Structures are given as structure tokens and as C-alpha cells.
Amino acid sequence: AQFNSVNFVAIVPIGTAVFFQFATECSQGMGTPPTCTNNDWKFIGDDGTKDTFYKIDPTYTDSHAYHTRFINLKNLYHNNSRYFRYRIRLKSDKTQTETPVVEDVVVNWSP
């Protein structure tokens, strides 16, 4: 499969952030489905390494409303894979009074 994009609905207040990592393969399992444990999945960010994340730019003026966000996955890191997992990191603001909320995640793919 080719994973094209991830769309998600979120509230991202000013000063907060949402970060994604994706895993489309694991280091152990080869079965159907793979027999991977959670630690075997290779989660990566936008440069293909485990140390980075796909970053979401909160550019909306109404920070307390739900908005659909889009992450383009048209790169070589996730093509021709059979399974897909995602990891979300939520960052609150400096005063820790505001936190983003991710309501729904949709993965767009094609055979």
C-alpha cells in the first residue's frame, strides 16, 4: 500500500503543539499480522529518523474550535508497507493550562 496522508480533527490552542510519528514496519514480526511487540515498531518523523516528528502548524485564529489538519505522507518512508501505526505527542503551553485535543484520525491510502 501507499500511505498518502493523515487527516485529523483537533483543537490546538495557541502555545500548544501536536506531533506525529508513524510506523509502517517492525523489526521482528513477519507474520500476518506481524507478531511485533510495541517496542519493535520503528516510529519515524518527517526526515525518516526516530528523533523527529511530523509537526503541525497551529495557524488558526479561533484556537478553541475543532479544525481538520493534514499531513502529507507522499515520501519513500512509508510506501509499499502493509501495516500502519501512529504515535501522537501533545505539548501543553508554558503555563500548562492549555492542552491540544485530537478527536479523530483518518489514514488515506491507496493499493
Side-chain angles (χ1 to χ4, degrees):
Q2 176 174 325
F3 296 98
N4 303 313
S5 64
V6 172
N7 299 302
F8 66 100
V9 177
I11 293 175
V12 185
I14 295 169
T16 69
V18 176
F19 303 95
F20 276 81
Q21 283 185 322
F22 303 112
T24 52
E25 63 179 70
C26 68
S27 59
Q28 298 297 320
M30 294 301 190
T32 306
T35 56
C36 300
T37 64
N38 286 339
N39 293 332
D40 294 330
W41 286 92
K42 298 177 184 175
F43 285 92
I44 61 173
D46 58 3
D47 72 351
T49 68
K50 65 182 176 77
D51 299 320
T52 61
F53 293 83
Y54 289 85
K55 297 161 193 68
I56 310 308
D57 180 23
T59 57
Y60 298 99
T61 56
D62 183 2
S63 63
H64 289 88
Y66 283 102
H67 296 281
T68 300
R69 309 296 175 101
F70 173 83
I71 301 171
N72 185 354
L73 292 180
K74 296 201 178 214
N75 58 40
L76 300 177
Y77 306 130
H78 305 292
N79 286 346
N80 301 316
S81 297
R82 190 169 180 182
Y83 301 99
F84 188 90
R85 284 188 174 197
Y86 60 87
R87 177 185 294 169
I88 303 173
R89 179 175 287 177
L90 304 175
K91 179 186 170 223
S92 62
D93 65 351
K94 288 182 181 180
T95 62
Q96 296 186 348
T97 58
E98 297 282 349
T99 301
V101 175
V102 176
E103 183 72 22
D104 191 23
V105 177
V106 176
V107 179
N108 177 288
W109 64 278
S110 54

